[in-house]
Protein backbone atom coordinates (compact mmCIF):
# COMPACT_ATOMS: atom_id res chain seq x y z
CA UNK A 1 0.00 0.00 0.00
CA UNK A 2 1.36 3.41 -0.94
CA UNK A 3 1.82 6.19 1.63
CA UNK A 4 -1.04 8.24 0.13
CA UNK A 5 -3.36 5.22 0.08
CA UNK A 6 -2.52 4.45 3.70
CA UNK A 7 -3.22 8.02 4.72
CA UNK A 8 -6.54 7.93 2.88
CA UNK A 9 -7.52 4.72 4.70
CA UNK A 10 -6.66 6.27 8.08
CA UNK A 11 -8.59 9.42 7.21
CA UNK A 12 -11.62 7.34 6.22
CA UNK A 13 -11.51 5.55 9.58
CA UNK A 14 -11.35 8.82 11.52
CA UNK A 15 -14.10 10.29 9.36
CA UNK A 16 -16.43 7.36 10.01
CA UNK A 17 -15.72 7.34 13.75
CA UNK A 18 -16.34 11.08 14.17
CA UNK A 19 -19.41 10.88 11.94
CA UNK A 20 -20.83 8.14 14.17
CA UNK A 21 -20.05 10.08 17.36
CA UNK A 22 -21.84 13.17 16.03
CA UNK A 23 -24.93 11.30 14.89
CA UNK A 24 -25.30 9.59 18.24
CA UNK A 25 -24.86 12.72 20.34
CA UNK A 26 -21.43 11.88 21.76
CA UNK A 27 -20.13 15.07 20.14
CA UNK A 28 -22.60 17.84 20.86
CA UNK A 29 -23.82 20.71 18.67
CA UNK A 30 -21.30 23.54 18.68
CA UNK A 31 -18.59 21.52 20.44
CA UNK A 32 -15.04 22.47 19.41
CA UNK A 33 -13.00 19.73 17.78
CA UNK A 34 -9.30 19.98 18.66
CA UNK A 35 -7.18 18.41 15.96
CA UNK A 36 -4.37 17.45 18.34
CA UNK A 37 -6.71 15.74 20.80
CA UNK A 38 -8.43 13.76 18.04
CA UNK A 39 -5.07 12.77 16.56
CA UNK A 40 -3.92 11.49 19.95
CA UNK A 41 -7.17 9.62 20.55
CA UNK A 42 -6.99 7.77 17.23
CA UNK A 43 -3.21 7.53 17.03
CA UNK A 44 -2.94 9.29 13.67
CA UNK A 45 -1.22 12.38 12.30
CA UNK A 46 -2.65 15.90 12.39
CA UNK A 47 -2.96 15.93 8.60
CA UNK A 48 -5.09 12.77 8.68
CA UNK A 49 -7.47 14.39 11.18
CA UNK A 50 -7.66 17.64 9.19
CA UNK A 51 -8.52 15.67 6.08
CA UNK A 52 -11.33 13.85 7.89
CA UNK A 53 -12.67 17.08 9.42
CA UNK A 54 -12.55 18.85 6.06
CA UNK A 55 -14.64 16.08 4.55
CA UNK A 56 -17.14 16.35 7.41
CA UNK A 57 -17.27 20.11 6.80
CA UNK A 58 -18.06 19.51 3.14
CA UNK A 59 -21.10 17.50 4.25
CA UNK A 60 -22.26 20.24 6.61
CA UNK A 61 -21.54 18.27 9.77
CA UNK A 62 -18.58 20.37 10.87
CA UNK A 63 -17.89 24.11 10.63
CA UNK A 64 -14.37 25.32 9.88
CA UNK A 65 -13.26 28.77 11.04
CA UNK A 66 -9.82 30.40 10.58
CA UNK A 67 -9.97 31.75 14.14
CA UNK A 68 -11.64 28.88 16.01
CA UNK A 69 -10.63 25.86 13.97
CA UNK A 70 -13.20 23.06 13.67
CA UNK A 71 -16.45 22.59 15.56
CA UNK A 72 -19.51 20.39 15.31
CA UNK A 73 -22.24 22.23 13.44
CA UNK A 74 -24.50 24.17 15.81
CA UNK A 75 -28.25 23.79 15.88
CA UNK A 76 -29.75 26.75 14.06
CA UNK A 77 -33.47 27.35 13.77
CA UNK A 78 -33.06 29.51 10.69
CA UNK A 79 -30.88 26.93 8.98
CA UNK A 80 -33.21 24.10 9.98
CA UNK A 81 -36.21 25.88 8.52
CA UNK A 82 -34.38 26.79 5.33
CA UNK A 83 -32.93 23.30 4.89
CA UNK A 84 -36.30 21.67 5.53
CA UNK A 85 -38.00 23.90 2.95
CA UNK A 86 -35.29 23.17 0.40
CA UNK A 87 -35.52 19.43 0.99
CA UNK A 88 -39.29 19.40 0.66
CA UNK A 89 -39.19 21.36 -2.60
CA UNK A 90 -36.40 19.32 -4.18
CA UNK A 91 -37.20 15.82 -2.94
CA UNK A 92 -40.90 16.16 -3.72
CA UNK A 93 -40.04 17.28 -7.24
CA UNK A 94 -37.61 14.40 -7.83
CA UNK A 95 -40.05 11.87 -6.36
CA UNK A 96 -42.72 13.08 -8.77
CA UNK A 97 -40.25 12.59 -11.62
CA UNK A 98 -39.49 9.07 -10.38
CA UNK A 99 -43.19 8.20 -10.23
CA UNK A 100 -43.67 9.53 -13.75
CA UNK A 101 -40.58 7.93 -15.28
CA UNK A 102 -39.61 4.95 -13.12
CA UNK A 103 -39.89 1.45 -14.59
CA UNK A 104 -40.52 -1.96 -13.06
CA UNK A 105 -36.84 -2.42 -12.21
CA UNK A 106 -36.98 0.86 -10.26
CA UNK A 107 -40.09 -0.33 -8.40
CA UNK A 108 -38.29 -3.56 -7.49
CA UNK A 109 -35.30 -1.60 -6.15
CA UNK A 110 -37.58 0.50 -3.93
CA UNK A 111 -39.23 -2.61 -2.51
CA UNK A 112 -35.87 -4.30 -1.97
CA UNK A 113 -34.33 -1.29 -0.25
CA UNK A 114 -37.27 -0.96 2.13
CA UNK A 115 -37.13 -4.70 2.87
CA UNK A 116 -33.44 -4.30 3.80
CA UNK A 117 -34.18 -1.24 5.95
CA UNK A 118 -37.01 -2.97 7.82
CA UNK A 119 -34.81 -5.99 8.52
CA UNK A 120 -31.87 -3.92 9.78
CA UNK A 121 -31.77 -3.22 13.55
CA UNK A 122 -32.01 0.48 14.36
CA UNK A 123 -29.69 0.33 17.38
CA UNK A 124 -26.36 -1.37 17.96
CA UNK A 125 -25.17 -3.10 21.14
CA UNK A 126 -24.31 0.26 22.73
CA UNK A 127 -27.77 1.70 22.09
CA UNK A 128 -26.54 3.99 19.31
CA UNK A 129 -27.99 4.26 15.82
CA UNK A 130 -26.24 1.44 13.95
CA UNK A 131 -24.05 2.14 10.94
CA UNK A 132 -25.93 -0.57 9.05
CA UNK A 133 -29.30 1.11 9.66
CA UNK A 134 -27.94 4.52 8.66
CA UNK A 135 -26.62 3.06 5.40
CA UNK A 136 -29.88 1.20 4.71
CA UNK A 137 -31.91 4.33 5.44
CA UNK A 138 -29.84 6.38 3.03
CA UNK A 139 -30.13 3.67 0.35
CA UNK A 140 -33.91 3.57 0.73
CA UNK A 141 -34.34 7.30 0.24
CA UNK A 142 -31.95 7.28 -2.71
CA UNK A 143 -33.90 4.44 -4.31
CA UNK A 144 -37.11 6.48 -4.18
CA UNK A 145 -35.55 9.16 -6.33
CA UNK A 146 -33.50 6.89 -8.61
CA UNK A 147 -36.32 6.55 -11.14
CA UNK A 148 -36.31 10.25 -12.01
CA UNK A 149 -33.84 9.89 -14.84
CA UNK A 150 -31.93 12.97 -13.66
CA UNK A 151 -28.63 12.31 -11.92
CA UNK A 152 -28.20 16.04 -11.24
CA UNK A 153 -31.52 16.33 -9.42
CA UNK A 154 -30.79 13.15 -7.48
CA UNK A 155 -27.37 14.54 -6.51
CA UNK A 156 -28.88 17.81 -5.23
CA UNK A 157 -31.51 15.93 -3.21
CA UNK A 158 -28.91 13.58 -1.73
CA UNK A 159 -26.64 16.49 -0.77
CA UNK A 160 -29.49 18.24 1.04
CA UNK A 161 -30.42 15.03 2.84
CA UNK A 162 -26.80 14.57 3.93
CA UNK A 163 -26.81 18.11 5.35
CA UNK A 164 -29.90 17.21 7.37
CA UNK A 165 -28.33 14.08 8.86
CA UNK A 166 -27.35 15.72 12.15
CA UNK A 167 -30.74 17.34 12.60
CA UNK A 168 -32.45 14.02 11.95
CA UNK A 169 -30.35 12.19 14.51
CA UNK A 170 -30.56 15.02 17.05
CA UNK A 171 -34.34 14.87 16.86
CA UNK A 172 -33.95 11.52 18.60
CA UNK A 173 -30.95 12.10 20.90
CA UNK A 174 -31.72 15.69 21.96
CA UNK A 175 -35.45 16.18 21.37
CA UNK A 176 -36.17 12.55 22.35
CA UNK A 177 -38.56 11.87 19.49
CA UNK A 178 -38.48 8.17 20.32
CA UNK A 179 -42.20 7.48 19.89
CA UNK A 180 -41.98 8.11 16.17
CA UNK A 181 -43.06 5.18 14.00
CA UNK A 182 -40.49 5.77 11.32
CA UNK A 183 -40.98 2.30 9.83
CA UNK A 184 -44.65 3.08 9.17
CA UNK A 185 -43.68 6.40 7.58
CA UNK A 186 -41.26 4.67 5.21
CA UNK A 187 -43.82 2.06 4.22
CA UNK A 188 -46.51 4.69 3.64
CA UNK A 189 -44.20 6.58 1.28
CA UNK A 190 -43.35 3.40 -0.62
CA UNK A 191 -46.95 2.26 -0.97
CA UNK A 192 -48.08 5.61 -2.35
CA UNK A 193 -45.08 5.68 -4.66
CA UNK A 194 -45.72 2.22 -6.10
CA UNK A 195 -49.39 3.11 -6.52
CA UNK A 196 -48.13 5.96 -8.73
CA UNK A 197 -50.07 8.42 -6.59
CA UNK A 198 -47.72 11.39 -6.79
CA UNK A 199 -49.83 13.65 -4.57
CA UNK A 200 -50.09 11.09 -1.75
CA UNK A 201 -46.44 10.06 -2.05
CA UNK A 202 -45.08 13.60 -1.93
CA UNK A 203 -47.44 14.48 0.94
CA UNK A 204 -46.14 11.50 2.92
CA UNK A 205 -42.54 12.39 2.10
CA UNK A 206 -43.11 16.02 3.11
CA UNK A 207 -44.61 14.98 6.45
CA UNK A 208 -41.67 12.61 6.96
CA UNK A 209 -39.13 15.38 6.35
CA UNK A 210 -40.96 18.03 8.37
CA UNK A 211 -41.32 15.81 11.44
CA UNK A 212 -37.67 16.37 12.29
CA UNK A 213 -37.99 20.14 12.07
CA UNK A 214 -41.15 20.16 14.16
CA UNK A 215 -39.71 18.29 17.14
CA UNK A 216 -36.45 20.24 17.11
CA UNK A 217 -38.27 23.57 16.98
CA UNK A 218 -40.31 22.51 20.00
CA UNK A 219 -37.07 21.54 21.73
CA UNK A 220 -35.61 24.97 20.95
CA UNK A 221 -38.71 26.76 22.19
CA UNK A 222 -38.65 24.72 25.39
CA UNK A 223 -35.02 25.63 26.07
CA UNK A 224 -35.72 29.30 25.38
CA UNK A 225 -38.78 29.31 27.65
CA UNK A 226 -36.88 27.66 30.49
CA UNK A 227 -33.93 30.01 30.11
CA UNK A 228 -31.51 27.10 29.68
CA UNK A 229 -27.88 28.09 29.34
CA UNK A 230 -25.62 26.88 26.62
CA UNK A 231 -23.27 24.90 28.86
CA UNK A 232 -24.02 21.23 29.30
CA UNK A 233 -22.22 18.69 31.44
CA UNK A 234 -20.49 15.79 29.73
CA UNK A 235 -20.80 13.69 32.88
CA UNK A 236 -17.09 13.79 33.66
CA UNK A 237 -16.96 17.31 35.10
CA UNK A 238 -16.22 19.05 31.82
CA UNK A 239 -18.48 21.57 30.16
CA UNK A 240 -19.13 21.71 26.46
CA UNK A 241 -21.02 24.10 24.26
CA UNK A 242 -24.63 23.10 24.15
CA UNK A 243 -27.11 23.62 21.30
CA UNK A 244 -27.37 27.21 20.17
CA UNK A 245 -30.28 28.56 18.21
CA UNK A 246 -30.11 31.68 16.10
CA UNK A 247 -33.80 32.35 16.68
CA UNK A 248 -36.95 30.53 17.82
Amino acid sequence: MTESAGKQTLSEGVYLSLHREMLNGHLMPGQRLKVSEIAGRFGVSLSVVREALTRLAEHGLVVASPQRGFAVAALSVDDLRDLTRARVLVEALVLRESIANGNVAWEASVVASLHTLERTPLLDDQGDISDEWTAAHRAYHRSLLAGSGSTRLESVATALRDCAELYRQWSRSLAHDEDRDIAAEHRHIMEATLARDADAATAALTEHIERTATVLLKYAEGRAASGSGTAQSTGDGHQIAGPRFSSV
Side-chain angles (χ1 to χ4, degrees):
M1 181 182 294
T2 65
E3 181 178 349
S4 60
K7 180 181 177 182
Q8 185 176 6
T9 300
L10 290 172
S11 177
E12 177 72 9
V14 174
Y15 167 85
L16 291 174
S17 295
L18 293 176
H19 186 274
R20 187 183 306 113
E21 290 177 5
M22 290 177 198
L23 296 188
N24 287 292
H26 301 310
L27 294 174
M28 296 296 289
Q31 181 176 349
R32 291 189 63 188
L33 300 169
K34 297 183 179 180
V35 175
S36 59
E37 289 182 0
I38 296 172
R41 181 154 65 95
F42 290 104
V44 297
S45 68
L46 299 180
S47 62
V48 165
V49 175
R50 290 193 185 97
E51 186 175 314
L53 290 174
T54 298
R55 184 178 170 193
L56 288 165
E58 291 172 352
H59 292 165
L61 305 179
V62 163
V63 176
S65 169
Q67 291 76 30
R68 294 179 56 82
F70 295 95
V72 180
L75 285 172
S76 164
V77 165
D78 289 341
D79 180 58
L80 175 57
R81 285 175 173 153
D82 185 46
L83 178 58
T84 300
R85 179 174 180 271
R87 287 191 63 203
V88 166
L89 290 172
V90 173
E91 290 194 46
L93 170 64
V94 185
L95 181 57
R96 283 184 180 275
E97 290 292 300
S98 284
I99 291 172
N101 302 323
N103 55 22
V104 173
W106 164 70
E107 290 183 354
S109 71
V110 173
V111 173
S113 64
L114 181 62
H115 179 78
T116 299
L117 179 59
E118 291 181 334
R119 298 301 187 277
T120 303
L122 174 64
L123 303 178
D124 60 20
D125 294 339
Q126 287 71 47
D128 293 333
I129 302 294
S130 72
D131 293 341
E132 293 77 15
W133 189 91
T134 297
H137 181 251
R138 192 171 192 269
Y140 166 69
H141 277 281
R142 293 192 71 171
S143 74
L144 288 169
L145 309 183
S148 69
S150 172
T151 55
R152 288 187 181 274
L153 282 174
E154 290 176 46
S155 178
V156 171
T158 297
L160 289 171
R161 194 181 315 111
D162 287 345
C163 289
E165 188 72 22
L166 280 180
Y167 288 128
R168 181 164 54 248
Q169 300 289 5
W170 284 338
S171 70
R172 176 184 175 87
S173 61
L174 296 180
H176 302 294
D177 188 22
E178 297 172 354
D179 295 331
R180 181 176 187 176
D181 191 349
I182 196 168
E185 293 177 28
H186 288 143
R187 180 156 288 277
H188 185 198
I189 296 169
M190 185 203 70
E191 290 172 347
T193 295
L194 296 185
R196 304 285 176 158
D197 188 337
D199 289 341
T202 54
L205 179 62
T206 296
E207 183 177 355
H208 180 67
I209 293 171
E210 290 181 341
R211 171 71 179 258
T212 295
T214 298
V215 297
L216 281 175
L217 288 172
K218 288 182 178 178
Y219 172 76
E221 291 166 356
R223 285 180 60 83
S226 65
S228 299
T230 58
Q232 294 186 354
S233 173
T234 61
D236 58 5
H238 295 87
Q239 296 291 314
I240 58 178
R244 290 187 175 90
F245 297 89
S246 58
S247 62
V248 292

